[in-house]
Amino acid sequence: MAPLPGAELVRTPVQLYRYLLRCCKLLPSPAMQTHYRHTVRQSYNSHADEDDPERIRMIVQRAISDADWILNKYIKKTGSPGQDETGQNNSDRR
């Protein structure tokens, strides 16, 4: 299962980047969100010169499965996406 609907539509590096940034918003704490946003940005920059379509497809698949694993890990700890350990909704903290 993909972390967000539409994962199967991700084909290009830019689509993947945007998708992963949306996934970061589901993480329970602002510190985690910042950490993973930075990680996504660094990975995008390090693979920016990739031009092999097969390699890009593999990177997209791996990144989506990694995002799924990370979100499942934190959702199991907190109970639901977008909430921290106290049950408060993170979308209210902006």
Side-chain angles (χ1 to χ4, degrees):
M1 184 178 118
L4 288 174
E8 64 280 352
L9 301 175
V10 175
R11 300 274 186 258
T12 68
V14 173
Q15 289 172 338
L16 176 63
Y17 180 71
R18 294 181 68 204
Y19 175 82
L20 293 174
L21 289 180
R22 286 192 303 272
C23 288
C24 289
K25 292 180 183 180
L26 299 176
L27 292 167
S29 76
M32 282 184 216
Q33 292 174 9
T34 302
H35 169 75
Y36 284 107
R37 271 196 315 265
H38 177 75
T39 302
V40 167
R41 188 174 301 116
Q42 291 298 102
S43 294
Y44 179 79
N45 289 336
S46 70
H47 294 291
D49 60 345
E50 193 67 56
D51 59 356
D52 179 22
E54 183 61 25
R55 175 79 174 125
I56 291 171
R57 188 184 63 75
M58 290 171 51
I59 291 170
V60 167
Q61 287 179 343
R62 179 60 189 243
I64 290 172
S65 68
D66 288 350
D68 186 26
W69 182 84
I70 290 168
L71 286 174
N72 283 335
K73 173 182 161 182
Y74 289 115
I75 289 170
K76 286 179 185 175
K77 284 184 179 180
T78 62
S80 67
Q83 289 185 351
D84 63 13
E85 291 79 11
T86 64
Q88 294 178 339
N89 191 341
N90 283 335
S91 62
D92 299 336
R93 296 183 186 174
R94 293 185 187 209

